[in-house]
Amino acid sequence: MPTPSHLKNPLCFDFRAARRVPETHAWPGLDDHPVVDGGGGGGEDAVPVVDVGAGDAAARVARAAEQWGAFLLVGHGVPAALLSRVEERVARVFSLPASEKMRAVRGPGEPCGYGSPPISSFFSKLMWSEGYTFSPSSLRSELRRLWPKSGDDYLLFCDVMEEFHKEMRRLADELLRLFLRALGLTGEEVAGVEAERRIGERMTATVHLNWYPRCPEPRRALGLIAHTDSGFFTFVLQSLVPGLQLFRRGPTGGWRCRRWRGPSSSTSATSSTSSPTAASTASTTAPS
């Protein structure tokens, strides 16, 4: 595994004032893989869609997990108004003056705080993004670094993120049951596994907020490098801004990149993608 080559502060570079992409942020080989439309229309390149409440949801989850490792989740019951409030509050965080965001900068070895995406330390090139990572269990104490005097923005942000986390935990429980059913377990066996293994209880969660400023040369830059998450589930809240991409091995064995843009009322469940706004990762130490 590579060792961290740098711990860059994203505020060393003013994204909003940039008129070009400097070499520090220019990534070679961005067109190495063919890119196809992974949106609607069907066909082998269409990203799978799973309706949580459908009778064939478990079968669709199994097929998507085996063939893609990612799928678009609809019928999840997360209120669209809540998702809009999440995006609004995230935007307000990243619009804060640099001096205020610096109060919460993530130091070396720290899992939470403001800064470059955590994986950026393993690469020589910098990404065109800034982020904030926190654990919902310590949300209010963590965010006092950003808003030391509390205030309305602090309270509104904490309230909406706690509500968002509650919905993601509910969704994680539903998706866990779907995966167990996809393995062929009956309702009684699913309940037995949950009681014995306590997977849901042992899940911990992390929220990653990612912000991608407008880029003057988008073909030369990356908002977030291709990666595979290590969590049990990752729920990605998509915005209507395109850019989310999925790698999938093509029928001839080569890798193809699927470009996807979903509706704002949808969410993605995946282990190999990035988010235009917010991602909630649920991890567990339960034995397999």
Side-chain angles (χ1 to χ4, degrees), residues 164-180:
F164 177 65
H165 170 59
K166 182 179 179 180
E167 289 289 339
M168 293 303 101
R169 283 306 301 258
R170 174 189 61 78
L171 202 53
D173 290 340
E174 289 189 32
L175 199 57
L176 174 60
R177 287 191 287 271
L178 281 179
F179 268 90
L180 292 175

Side-chain angles (χ1 to χ4, degrees), residues 150-220:
S150 185
D152 291 341
D153 282 341
Y154 166 81
L155 294 173
L156 288 169
F157 183 86
C158 291
D159 287 347
V160 76
M161 284 300 162
E162 286 174 346
E163 189 177 349
F164 177 65
H165 170 59
K166 182 179 179 180
E167 289 289 339
M168 293 303 101
R169 283 306 301 258
R170 174 189 61 78
L171 202 53
D173 290 340
E174 289 189 32
L175 199 57
L176 174 60
R177 287 191 287 271
L178 281 179
F179 268 90
L180 292 175
R181 284 171 49 200
L183 293 173
L185 276 65
T186 65
E188 185 175 330
E189 290 169 333
V190 168
V193 169
E194 292 177 333
E196 179 183 352
R197 302 286 183 171
R198 296 185 295 114
I199 298 175
E201 295 178 28
R202 297 169 68 172
M203 279 188 184
T204 59
T206 302
V207 175
H208 303 281
L209 308 179
N210 300 312
W211 186 255
Y212 307 106
R214 185 180 297 275
C215 181
E217 299 176 283
R219 293 187 178 275
R220 299 186 66 218

Side-chain angles (χ1 to χ4, degrees), residues 35-256:
V35 179
V36 297
D37 183 9
E44 66 175 20
D45 289 320
V47 176
V49 178
V50 174
D51 186 334
V52 178
D56 62 347
R60 285 181 175 270
V61 161
R63 187 160 54 249
E66 292 169 357
Q67 299 178 3
W68 282 79
F71 51 89
L72 185 72
L73 206 57
V74 299
H76 45 67
V78 182
L82 170 61
L83 301 182
S84 295
R85 286 164 51 215
V86 169
E87 290 196 25
E88 178 187 357
R89 286 294 131 190
V90 170
R92 288 181 70 88
V93 165
F94 290 108
S95 68
L96 290 172
S99 59
E100 295 183 25
K101 289 185 286 190
M102 276 292 293
R103 291 195 293 248
V105 71
R106 183 174 54 246
E110 292 182 347
C112 297
Y114 169 77
S116 301
I119 61 172
S120 64
S121 61
F122 296 99
F123 299 92
S124 59
K125 294 291 187 178
L126 299 178
M127 300 174 205
W128 203 269
S129 61
E130 51 186 302
Y132 203 120
T133 300
F134 60 85
S135 170
S137 63
S138 57
L139 169 63
R140 292 186 180 262
S141 59
E142 166 63 35
L143 269 297
R144 288 301 290 267
R145 298 170 60 190
L146 199 60
W147 290 289
K149 296 182 179 179
S150 185
D152 291 341
D153 282 341
Y154 166 81
L155 294 173
L156 288 169
F157 183 86
C158 291
D159 287 347
V160 76
M161 284 300 162
E162 286 174 346
E163 189 177 349
F164 177 65
H165 170 59
K166 182 179 179 180
E167 289 289 339
M168 293 303 101
R169 283 306 301 258
R170 174 189 61 78
L171 202 53
D173 290 340
E174 289 189 32
L175 199 57
L176 174 60
R177 287 191 287 271
L178 281 179
F179 268 90
L180 292 175
R181 284 171 49 200
L183 293 173
L185 276 65
T186 65
E188 185 175 330
E189 290 169 333
V190 168
V193 169
E194 292 177 333
E196 179 183 352
R197 302 286 183 171
R198 296 185 295 114
I199 298 175
E201 295 178 28
R202 297 169 68 172
M203 279 188 184
T204 59
T206 302
V207 175
H208 303 281
L209 308 179
N210 300 312
W211 186 255
Y212 307 106
R214 185 180 297 275
C215 181
E217 299 176 283
R219 293 187 178 275
R220 299 186 66 218
L222 274 178
L224 195 62
I225 187 67
H227 65 284
T228 299
D229 290 349
S230 58
F232 202 59
F233 296 129
T234 297
F235 294 108
V236 179
L237 167 59
Q238 299 180 82
S239 73
L240 291 178
V241 178
L244 178 63
Q245 296 181 335
L246 305 171
F247 273 117
R248 184 194 182 206
R249 194 178 297 277
T252 60
W255 287 95
R256 302 176 73 182

Side-chain angles (χ1 to χ4, degrees), residues 1-4 122:
M1 176 177 290
T3 56
F122 296 99

